[in-house]
Amino acid sequence: GAVVSQHPSRVICKSGTSVKIECRSLDFQATTMFWYRQFPKKSLMLMATSNEGSKATYEQGVEKDKFLINHASLTLSTLTVTSAHPEDSSFYICSARGLFFSTDTQYFGPGTRLTVL
Amino acid sequence: AQKITQTQPGMFVQEKEAVTLDCTYDTSDPSYGLFWYKQPSSGEMIFLIYQGSYDQQNATEGRYSLNFQKARKSANLVISASQLGDSAMYFCAMRENTQGGSEKLVFGKGTKLTVNP
């Protein structure tokens, strides 16, 4: 149980285009989903927290208009990188926390590697 | 100030031996959770073990155990009988409650474990 998927796993796009990344909890309902960014050989940095049906809470320094997050259902959250630039190239990873889990463990998706040319 | 400190950038261990990965944390919140995640080269974050601040006993999950010393604010991960497949980055994380009533995971910088045959 507690499987989280992400799609796509890898995307290459041109500068100026927008990219949407999907995060799905496959076998549980996720009340809260989190989006992280990870640079090479670095730790994970939380970008935003999203609760189903409400606006995402962004961490300081993360541009809301650039990284659009939608959490439309208890099993799906999307991150859209708008007008992507090469500095947005990174590994984006989502996690989800379940509604009825006995602990507050976050389960992570496999990540999406974004390369902006 | 760092909330989670992992002082070992890299560790080496012989196959079948035990290894301890260090983690210290800093919080004034009486209620918190501590997590260990494994990140292989594929990038996915794999949940290993959880310790709640009020848990009386140290958490164990198969070959993983958490040496929780509350007074010292340390939560070291012990991997027994190391296997080649244990080679990966290991991240210690703490659930932190935010002022807005939500919570987030704060990650350490990670320790790269290499298991030698």
Side-chain angles (χ1 to χ4, degrees):
Chain A
V3 178
V4 177
S5 70
Q6 261 182 262
H7 178 80
S9 59
R10 187 179 295 269
V11 58
I12 301 172
C13 69
K14 291 183 179 179
S15 187
T17 60
S18 294
V19 175
K20 180 186 281 189
I21 303 170
E22 290 186 350
C23 177
R24 292 181 185 272
S25 56
L26 298 185
D27 53 359
F28 66 99
Q29 291 182 320
T31 48
T32 307
M33 286 185 168
F34 305 83
W35 286 95
Y36 294 84
R37 184 173 180 177
Q38 186 179 29
F39 291 103
K41 298 184 180 180
K42 297 292 185 183
S43 188
L44 278 71
M45 285 175 39
L46 179 66
M47 297 174 66
T49 302
S50 75
N51 292 295
E52 185 262 340
S54 60
K55 288 184 178 179
T57 302
Y58 289 81
E59 294 298 299
Q60 197 171 13
V62 178
E63 296 177 60
K64 300 179 183 181
D65 295 332
K66 181 161 191 64
F67 298 101
L68 300 178
I69 290 172
N70 183 275
H71 193 161
S73 75
L74 283 172
T75 59
L76 173 65
S77 176
T78 60
L79 167 68
T80 302
V81 183
T82 62
S83 187
H85 290 284
E87 57 265 29
D88 299 326
S89 298
S90 191
F91 188 64
Y92 293 88
I93 189 165
C94 73
S95 71
R97 193 170 68 234
L99 186 60
F100 298 113
F101 288 173
S102 59
T103 70
D104 48 8
T105 303
Q106 291 182 27
Y107 291 90
F108 285 80
T112 297
R113 190 162 301 283
L114 170 65
T115 303
V116 185
L117 302 176
Chain B
Q2 270 189 322
K3 298 284 183 82
I4 294 285
T5 304
Q6 292 181 255
T7 57
Q8 308 152 315
M11 286 286 284
F12 293 87
V13 66
Q14 281 302 118
E15 193 178 7
K16 299 181 184 177
E17 292 185 351
V19 63
T20 298
L21 307 183
D22 295 342
C23 173
T24 57
Y25 59 92
D26 183 25
T27 182
S28 57
D29 195 333
S31 176
Y32 52 90
L34 296 159
F35 304 79
W36 276 93
Y37 287 89
K38 172 185 177 181
Q39 188 178 41
S41 56
S42 58
E44 60 186 310
M45 292 285 283
I46 302 169
F47 166 69
L48 297 179
I49 198 165
Y50 166 84
Q51 179 85 42
S53 58
Y54 294 119
D55 293 344
Q56 295 293 320
Q57 296 189 331
N58 287 345
T60 60
E61 287 287 347
R63 294 186 299 111
Y64 305 108
S65 61
L66 202 151
N67 185 359
F68 182 45
Q69 299 195 26
K70 200 169 182 177
R72 294 184 180 182
K73 293 189 174 179
S74 74
N76 299 338
L77 176 70
V78 181
I79 305 175
S80 62
S82 297
Q83 302 172 355
L84 295 178
D86 294 335
S87 294
M89 280 291 288
Y90 287 81
F91 290 97
C92 178
M94 178 175 67
R95 169 179 51 80
E96 181 179 66
N97 297 317
T98 67
Q99 286 186 335
S102 61
E103 57 184 66
K104 63 181 183 181
L105 279 185
V106 178
F107 285 85
K109 293 185 176 182
T111 296
K112 185 175 182 180
L113 176 66
T114 303
V115 181
N116 294 317

